[in-house]
Amino acid sequence: MIRYIVKRLIFMVPLLIGITIVCFVVMHLAPGSPTDLETQMNPRASAEYRERLKAMYDLDKPLHEQYLIWVKKLAVLDLGRSFSPDRRPVSEKIMERLPITISLNVLSLILILIIAIPIGVLSAVYQDSLFDKVTGIFVFIGFAMPTFWLALLLMILFGVNLGWLPISGIRSLNYEYLPPGMAIVDLIRHLILPVTLAAFGGLAGLSRYMRSNMLEVIRQDYIMTARAKGLSERVVIYRHALRNALLPVITILGLSIPGLIGGSVIFETIFAIPGMGQLFYMSVMARDYPVVMGVLFIGAILTLLGNLIADVSYAVADPRIRVS
Amino acid sequence: MKTDFWKRFSKNKMALAGSCVVIMLFVISLLAPWIAPYDPNEIDLQKVLSAPSRDHVLGTDQLGRDVFTRMIWGSRISLKVGFVATGIAILIGTVLGAVAGYYGRWVDAVIMRFVDIMLCFPTFFLILAVIALLEPSIWNIMIIIGVTGWMGITRLVRADFTSLKERDFVLAARAIGASDLRIIFVHILPNAMASVLVAATLGVAGAILTESALSFLGIGVQPPTPSWGNILTAGKDNIDIAWWLSLYPGMAILITVLGYNLLGEGIRDSLDPRLR
């Protein structure tokens, strides 16, 4: 097992280097240097100040040296300072928002699993039944649904017309004064819409995937063996088939992480949730390059970590992977 | 082979429905200047945010412009972005996939690692980061969506090429002295076009979704150019008073994307019924 993990980690090294190179290249796409922008916005910046800035960002050195200096800073999570007036370190800004984004994504992943797996299993077991057909149509619509639009519609329905759910932020204004029990209810009420919508995108894909997996497993010889020795259909489906059909889902969950993280930009912006996605959106609008690059880098690292966790859990669940 | 395809395709109701939607969209965006009842940029401050009525079937927006008209013009944007972005993605994806699959060894290893690296970035993050650096014009949007969306196609084409290059017709072509370039593009590529065509159709749908999300966030197609996404932005700004601004453009996006998806799946099923 440890050998497998080490192998995975070694495999990640070139990816990690590649990620830093892509980030570095994207950063240098900017017309003019980042210091240009900062100084143009500030008419009082003298030529000397500009030189100092340039030296601070090492823009006077050749490209490969700039890259090495930048990577060395990255290694200790020094992502520079924000261009915004607060001038705080980028890593600090990201770290204080990361927990919100990660918990939202974990919640929606859980929701996806709870809903998609039963749907997939049932529509495979009762293939071509009415249930299978209806969910099939829903899946198709789910693939085509612009989720930000669905968000708008649900906000109009539940927030504006019915007034049941709040449509922005994660806390009410009087949050501080609520008793602990009410505070949790308040938080949950704020999270219902964003978590449901973030999950929506993954639902269609996973339930379809689960269905085709299950259909494949049901046709295997060992299922026939289980039936032949007289096991009840329940045991055959839920003990023998389901376990094997569930395995590859781990990989799919790993693959869905970049989509979820990317989607957080949309949901956190729509629902005014103070997470990493919203920070990213605001920095893009304000052209706060150090933050934009920082979030881009952290987003890729999160994906890489997610894939690693998925790979390792797959190996834990399925010994065949470890050996090959 | 071809007649089989058409026979299966014409029996596939979903595929036909998808083609109808796609053809209709083409017609609407081609005829936009003639079928739209108003000028898309005609501001009428007397009729700001008026609900759907006989004069304005889908209501008006925050500047009194006719929503129906702006949606008709918006279909042009969707079509343009969908096709140009997908075209770029197909071009990059096919060339890289073909080279990786045909040459194998270290060329393959390098290209496929690059694909892995690109897939580590949440696509939406990558697009936004590039937009932060460049101006969000419609051309930039198309290019960025294309340049960040070729990885899946590379994997598909590579898989086709690795199996096709072992076939006898490739050996025959090599035996008569055909160059690598000729073998790749004239002999193997036509045989790999089927999966590319399916991926392209589904890719158009994806590009339209991405563009509308970007425009909705205000970093895609910029007003006053009408796009379905930026009409929805107005819908969000007036969420408590003008539901029609939120409802109809989203429906247009949903139907369009559904149409391309149905068409893509229909083509896949008709090309090779075994894939179902």
Side-chain angles (χ1 to χ4, degrees):
Chain A
M1 192 65 214
I2 290 172
R3 253 187 70 189
Y4 177 79
I5 296 176
V6 171
K7 232 165 79 184
R8 284 279 102 184
L9 282 174
I10 293 172
F11 181 75
M12 272 171 59
V13 172
L15 289 185
L16 196 62
I17 296 172
I19 287 172
T20 59
I21 293 175
V22 172
C23 280
F24 189 76
V25 169
V26 169
M27 192 160 47
H28 282 260
L29 274 180
S33 61
T35 52
D36 262 6
L37 262 140
E38 203 177 31
T39 47
Q40 270 162 19
M41 281 186 292
N42 181 359
R44 278 177 298 178
S46 63
E48 186 211 7
Y49 174 73
R50 234 168 273 174
E51 281 310 307
R52 237 174 46 210
L53 261 183
K54 230 177 169 177
M56 192 173 101
Y57 288 111
D58 307 303
L59 292 172
D60 49 351
K61 302 204 171 78
L63 220 51
H64 63 275
E65 258 178 62
Q66 279 184 45
Y67 172 73
L68 286 178
I69 293 169
W70 181 70
V71 168
K72 263 183 209 152
K73 283 186 184 161
L74 268 190
V76 289
L77 272 183
D78 176 6
L79 298 166
R81 277 172 187 276
S82 162
F83 278 179
S84 69
D86 60 12
R87 304 219 130 260
R88 290 174 53 207
V90 174
S91 46
E92 208 178 291
K93 279 189 134 175
I94 294 176
M95 286 310 158
E96 69 187 19
R97 281 162 175 267
L98 202 54
I100 296 178
T101 302
I102 291 182
S103 5
L104 274 182
N105 282 331
V106 169
L107 282 177
S108 18
L109 262 181
I110 294 173
L111 196 65
I112 292 176
L113 285 174
I114 293 177
I115 301 177
I117 289 177
I119 290 181
V121 171
L122 288 177
S123 48
V125 173
Y126 304 106
Q127 196 186 1
D128 292 326
S129 67
L130 184 67
F131 177 80
D132 184 27
K133 280 179 185 143
V134 172
T135 52
I137 293 171
F138 268 106
V139 164
F140 230 96
I141 295 177
F143 274 128
M145 181 68 80
T147 32
F148 61 94
W149 176 59
L150 190 63
L152 275 186
L153 294 187
L154 294 183
M155 280 163 95
I156 293 179
L157 180 63
F158 291 110
V160 178
N161 288 353
L162 297 172
W164 291 355
L165 296 170
I167 56 174
S168 90
I170 52 168
R171 278 164 195 183
S172 299
L173 288 174
N174 59 351
Y175 183 81
E176 312 259 306
Y177 307 105
L178 291 171
M182 289 305 288
I184 290 175
V185 173
D186 183 64
L187 186 68
I188 292 174
R189 273 164 43 88
H190 278 88
L191 290 183
I192 290 178
L193 281 181
V195 170
T196 316
L197 283 158
F200 191 86
L203 271 182
L206 190 70
S207 60
R208 206 65 331 200
Y209 185 75
M210 194 64 215
R211 177 179 179 271
S212 59
N213 255 346
M214 195 70 186
L215 282 176
E216 201 165 293
V217 169
I218 287 176
R219 294 199 190 106
Q220 299 292 321
D221 287 344
Y222 57 83
I223 295 298
M224 207 194 295
T225 313
R227 283 210 178 105
K229 70 181 184 184
L231 289 181
S232 71
E233 193 62 19
R234 258 187 97 80
V235 176
V236 173
I237 297 294
Y238 294 104
R239 185 132 347 127
H240 292 244
L242 182 58
R243 280 191 179 183
N244 285 289
L246 274 178
L247 278 178
V249 168
I250 301 172
T251 317
I252 290 294
L253 285 184
L255 290 177
S256 69
I257 291 171
L260 276 173
I261 298 176
S264 64
V265 176
I266 298 177
F267 297 112
E268 290 178 7
T269 308
I270 296 182
F271 290 103
I273 293 169
M276 192 174 75
Q278 194 200 32
L279 174 71
F280 191 47
Y281 176 72
M282 293 190 311
S283 322
V284 167
M285 295 306 268
R287 315 217 144 195
D288 189 345
Y289 296 139
V291 180
V292 169
M293 288 310 142
V295 179
L296 182 67
F297 179 70
I298 298 289
I301 297 299
L302 284 180
T303 309
L304 207 57
L305 282 178
N307 285 337
L308 179 74
I309 294 173
D311 280 347
V312 172
S313 10
Y314 202 141
V316 171
D318 188 348
R320 284 171 295 183
I321 303 291
R322 268 174 276 167
V323 183
S324 64
Chain B
M1 177 68 198
K2 258 193 187 137
T3 50
D4 280 359
F5 171 80
W6 286 115
K7 214 183 269 170
R8 281 192 291 260
F9 190 82
S10 57
K11 273 190 198 145
N12 187 333
K13 279 183 208 139
M14 306 273 258
L16 289 180
S19 342
C20 283
V21 171
V22 171
I23 292 170
M24 224 171 65
L25 279 165
F26 265 100
V27 174
I28 289 175
S29 51
L30 263 179
L31 300 181
W34 294 281
I35 54 176
Y38 293 88
D39 181 308
N41 294 318
E42 185 187 280
I43 293 172
D44 184 349
L45 293 175
Q46 306 264 290
K47 288 185 182 162
V48 168
L49 293 175
S50 54
S53 63
R54 235 217 250 126
D55 286 347
H56 298 277
V57 258
L58 302 183
T60 60
D61 67 4
Q62 74 282 16
L63 294 174
R65 296 171 296 194
D66 184 53
V67 173
F68 182 54
T69 303
R70 289 182 70 74
M71 278 176 58
I72 290 175
W73 282 87
S75 68
R76 289 193 156 186
I77 299 288
S78 299
L79 209 66
K80 236 194 257 173
V81 173
F83 276 84
V84 176
T86 311
I88 294 171
I90 295 281
L91 192 72
I92 303 176
T94 311
V95 169
L96 286 182
V99 169
Y102 183 77
Y103 289 105
R105 293 164 195 269
W106 66 269
V107 181
D108 182 38
V110 168
I111 291 177
M112 294 327 282
R113 276 309 79 72
F114 185 44
V115 168
D116 290 340
I117 290 165
M118 289 296 286
L119 284 174
C120 279
F121 290 96
T123 318
F124 215 70
F125 273 26
L126 208 53
I127 293 175
L128 254 69
V130 180
I131 288 177
L133 300 167
L134 306 172
E135 285 302 313
S137 73
I138 174 161
W139 283 101
N140 281 343
I141 297 294
M142 295 193 242
I143 295 170
I144 296 167
I145 296 177
V147 168
T148 51
W150 48 270
M151 289 81 81
I153 295 162
T154 306
R155 284 191 167 168
L156 275 178
V157 174
R158 173 189 175 265
D160 278 356
F161 264 71
T162 26
S163 70
L164 284 169
K165 73 171 177 191
E166 310 289 341
R167 299 274 196 86
D168 286 344
F169 70 88
V170 176
L171 194 65
R174 205 171 285 143
I176 59 171
S179 66
D180 280 355
L181 268 184
R182 196 179 158 77
I183 294 176
I184 290 177
F185 288 104
V186 180
H187 295 278
I188 307 185
L189 193 58
N191 292 293
M193 274 332 266
S195 46
V196 173
L197 184 65
V198 175
T201 319
L202 300 176
V204 172
I208 290 175
L209 269 180
T210 309
E211 180 274 319
S212 62
L214 289 173
S215 300
F216 173 69
L217 290 175
I219 36 190
V221 177
Q222 298 296 307
T225 310
S227 95
W228 295 338
N230 67 27
I231 303 175
L232 282 170
T233 317
K236 185 183 184 279
D237 294 341
N238 302 292
I239 191 164
D240 41 359
I241 37 178
W243 54 269
W244 57 92
L245 282 178
S246 295
L247 184 63
Y248 299 116
M251 235 183 234
I253 301 170
L254 175 64
I255 292 170
T256 307
V257 174
L258 207 56
Y260 279 103
N261 281 350
L262 287 172
L263 181 63
E265 304 253 325
I267 295 174
R268 167 161 43 203
D269 292 347
S270 315
L271 279 172
D272 186 355
R274 283 166 304 170
L275 287 176
R276 290 198 75 168

